[in-house]
Amino acid sequence: MDVSLLDVSSAAGLAAAVVLTLNLLLGMLLGTAYRKAWYWKKLPAVVRQVHLFDVHNWTAYGALALSLVHPLLLVVDKASKFTLLNILFPVRAPHQPLFVAAGTVAFYALLLVVLTSRKAFRKRLSFRAWKNLHLLSYGTALLFVVHGVVMDPLLKDRPVDFFDAEKVLSEACALLLLVATWYRVRYQVANRKRLVGQTQKA
């Protein structure tokens, strides 16, 4: 079976969506008191010794690298008719420009989140500003996954086949991200109420 650059690009994009979803789930877990949870205590000691913060960071770099490889392979593949300008400014992309734009915006947002998470940038930002920027990752991941669902992997502008194996995986990522976002918002609201309650008692 012949594998084209378009196939590899599609696989890289799908892998980026999966890794980014894993990254967000880890980030959500880090923002909670997960070490006190019953499910964490039941895990093997080897697993509990893993530094989830490091895994969270490396999966972010992995997702960024894969999401960069994904469009660059389109540029290399002459049959796709994409240029670097089409990727950076997808207004006149040769195929599905609106959906390509969703992927481009997601990449820029992911790059912003990753860069501002570096110590050099974090020192220049207040914690609140950094936190607000970092929360962009939830919207970024959802936008990236939506891009994967609506884009035609063969670039033939066909209607979306929601039951295609690749689309089902992207849809599963989208569902996980929606649940994670809902859970994170719920946790943040409950935590804020708890802090306000403690302040009022003091």
Side-chain angles (χ1 to χ4, degrees), residues 77-126:
D77 184 9
K78 300 302 180 184
S80 73
K81 298 179 181 178
F82 271 91
T83 65
L84 187 59
L85 191 62
N86 294 148
I87 300 297
L88 297 175
F89 304 100
V91 180
R92 300 191 64 181
H95 303 279
Q96 301 174 290
L98 182 62
F99 300 153
V100 174
T104 299
V105 170
F107 173 76
Y108 287 152
L110 178 60
L111 182 62
L112 176 66
V113 170
V114 171
L115 286 178
T116 53
S117 294
R118 302 292 297 169
K119 286 183 180 179
F121 283 92
R122 288 182 65 174
K123 288 179 180 178
R124 297 172 181 269
L125 298 170
S126 66

Side-chain angles (χ1 to χ4, degrees), residues 56-194:
H56 177 64
N57 282 343
W58 283 109
T59 49
Y61 298 139
L64 184 63
L66 286 166
S67 61
L68 180 61
V69 168
H70 168 61
L72 288 181
L73 286 173
L74 290 180
V75 175
V76 176
D77 184 9
K78 300 302 180 184
S80 73
K81 298 179 181 178
F82 271 91
T83 65
L84 187 59
L85 191 62
N86 294 148
I87 300 297
L88 297 175
F89 304 100
V91 180
R92 300 191 64 181
H95 303 279
Q96 301 174 290
L98 182 62
F99 300 153
V100 174
T104 299
V105 170
F107 173 76
Y108 287 152
L110 178 60
L111 182 62
L112 176 66
V113 170
V114 171
L115 286 178
T116 53
S117 294
R118 302 292 297 169
K119 286 183 180 179
F121 283 92
R122 288 182 65 174
K123 288 179 180 178
R124 297 172 181 269
L125 298 170
S126 66
F127 179 77
R128 181 180 289 273
W130 172 80
K131 192 71 173 178
N132 289 337
L133 277 172
H134 206 68
L135 287 174
L136 274 175
S137 55
Y138 286 89
T140 297
L142 280 170
L143 189 60
F144 194 88
V145 172
V146 167
H147 161 77
V149 171
V150 295
M151 281 295 297
D152 180 5
L154 296 179
L155 299 180
K156 293 182 178 179
D157 303 337
R158 302 170 300 174
V160 179
D161 179 7
F162 292 103
F163 297 102
D164 178 76
E166 290 186 3
K167 301 299 183 185
V168 169
L169 183 56
S170 293
E171 289 155 10
C173 288
L175 182 60
L176 282 171
L177 288 169
L178 284 170
V179 171
T181 303
W182 174 82
Y183 181 84
R184 185 58 187 265
V185 170
R186 185 167 168 263
Y187 179 83
Q188 288 293 116
V189 170
N191 195 44
R192 189 164 295 178
K193 284 182 179 178
R194 181 178 59 82

Side-chain angles (χ1 to χ4, degrees), residues 25-34 51-54 56 184:
L25 293 176
L26 287 172
M28 181 194 71
L29 194 60
L30 286 170
T32 66
Y34 68 95
H51 296 286
L52 292 188
F53 183 77
D54 293 335
H56 177 64
R184 185 58 187 265

